[in-house]
Amino acid sequence: MMTTIIDGKAIAADLREKVAQAVSALKSTHDIQPALAVVLVGEDPASQVYVRNKGIATEKAGMKSIEHRLAADASEDDVVNLVRKLNAEEGVDGILVQLPLPSHISSSRVINEIDPDKDVDGLTEVNAGRLILGKDGLVPCTPQGSVIMAKTVRPDLTGLNAVVVGRSILVGKPLSMLLLAENCTVTMAHSRTADLAAVCREADILCAAVGIPRLIKGDWVKKGAIVIDVGINRVEEGGKSRLVGDVDFDSAKENASAITPVPGGVGPMTIACLLRNTVVAAARRRGVGEIDL
């Protein structure tokens, strides 16, 4: 059986191009330039890289990128007040607070201060509720990208058994809701699931988002399954550092019909879906209707 390696870079590039076209249409038809504001607290090196990359991608898509940087010792109220200010700015369509925040700041409080209609990370309690209720909202980027990738292999997921390994609010829980919305029969599993291997073997779509390097072995994968590996884990092997997923890629691809690699799989989709959410939020907020992306 030939296994398809799902090319996240190519799929993300296609989505970014569609976003750029939508942005161009908003500008020419409605004189609207969507704007994304990113809040960075502290000087975490990885976070700085993420913020810089998001800014570059935002501007490349034709949108306005706004960055607010606060010192690591900024108070929780300082961050909350900045978020409230951005909520009130009509020209800001999306607000993203880069995580993790310094330990003295409550991420939950800060995130839930974001106007849900500008919550392009899809992390507020309001947007989580909208997702569960099947209402229009802004959906977390990584789960959204995972479903898009699965549908490049099989456009109609109706009736498939989906197993999501991982129960985080960032990926596992929203991904389960999105798969339910695609008419899958969904099982949520995790590292403490009894006989996890047997549960995984029932999956037509197997999504790994548990944060354990190579937890899922090849013989856990049903023949012909679609495998979406959300995990990004840095491991030391042979004196070198490398990134691996939550799935043992080499053995899993022997059984899977399609599989995402790490890196180059789900990762590129996260920023692409952030851009998608921003242009969708801009259109909704400004009363010009839905954008099909």
Side-chain angles (χ1 to χ4, degrees):
M1 178 179 66
M2 289 293 294
T3 301
T4 299
I5 309 301
I6 304 173
D7 188 343
K9 292 181 180 178
I11 298 168
D14 180 65
L15 179 54
R16 288 197 305 270
E17 177 58 31
K18 290 177 180 176
V19 168
Q21 292 172 5
V23 170
S24 178
L26 281 176
K27 286 181 180 178
S28 61
T29 307
H30 302 284
D31 194 26
I32 293 171
Q33 182 183 23
L36 172 63
V38 178
V39 176
L40 175 64
V41 184
E43 299 180 357
D44 177 76
S47 292
Q48 291 191 59
V49 171
Y50 295 148
V51 167
R52 182 169 64 249
N53 289 343
K54 288 169 184 173
I56 292 169
T58 301
E59 292 181 346
K60 191 172 182 180
M63 294 187 279
K64 185 177 180 181
S65 176
I66 303 165
E67 290 184 13
H68 290 273
R69 295 174 180 258
L70 299 178
D73 61 356
S75 71
E76 187 173 299
D77 285 343
D78 288 338
V79 183
V80 166
N81 288 335
L82 174 56
V83 168
R84 289 174 178 170
K85 177 185 175 184
L86 294 172
N87 284 342
E89 290 187 11
E90 184 58 32
V92 172
D93 298 292
I95 302 169
L96 183 150
V97 177
Q98 182 66 43
L99 301 177
L101 291 170
S103 58
H104 66 281
I105 297 175
S106 167
S107 297
S108 177
R109 181 191 174 201
V110 170
I111 294 300
N112 282 296
E113 286 286 348
I114 298 173
D115 178 347
D117 294 333
K118 296 186 178 186
D119 169 33
V120 287
D121 247 353
L123 297 181
T124 59
E125 292 172 1
V126 171
N127 275 322
R130 288 171 175 169
L131 179 58
I132 291 172
L133 294 172
K135 295 185 176 182
D136 287 337
L138 294 168
V139 177
C141 302
T142 301
Q144 182 183 148
S146 298
V147 173
I148 291 171
M149 296 181 82
K151 292 181 73 173
T152 64
V153 179
R154 186 159 174 170
D156 185 1
L157 305 181
T158 297
L160 298 184
N161 289 325
V163 172
V164 178
V165 185
R167 51 185 168 177
S168 73
I169 61 171
L170 296 176
V171 181
K173 290 178 180 177
L175 179 52
S176 296
M177 293 298 104
L178 290 174
L179 289 167
L180 276 174
E182 295 290 338
N183 300 311
C184 294
T185 300
V186 180
T187 300
M188 284 197 70
H190 44 82
S191 60
R192 298 186 182 183
T193 295
D195 203 351
L196 179 58
V199 173
C200 291
R201 290 187 190 107
E202 296 298 316
D204 301 308
I205 305 173
L206 179 57
C207 303
V210 72
I212 301 175
R214 299 192 182 106
L215 172 69
I216 295 174
K217 311 304 180 188
D219 63 358
W220 295 21
V221 177
K222 179 181 179 180
K223 282 285 186 183
I226 299 169
V227 178
I228 307 294
D229 190 353
V230 182
I232 301 179
N233 309 285
R234 187 166 294 280
V235 298
E236 297 291 331
E237 293 181 344
K240 294 183 179 180
S241 176
R242 60 175 300 198
L243 294 177
V244 301
D246 291 349
V247 176
D248 184 359
F249 180 85
D250 290 337
S251 61
K253 71 179 181 180
E254 299 301 317
N255 286 329
S257 64
I259 187 170
T260 60
V262 177
V266 175
M269 291 298 294
T270 299
I271 290 181
C273 288
L274 173 67
L275 302 178
R276 178 190 183 278
N277 280 354
T278 303
V279 72
V280 167
R284 287 177 179 171
R285 289 186 60 253
R286 300 176 191 237
V288 300
E290 291 293 313
I291 290 182
D292 185 19
L293 287 171

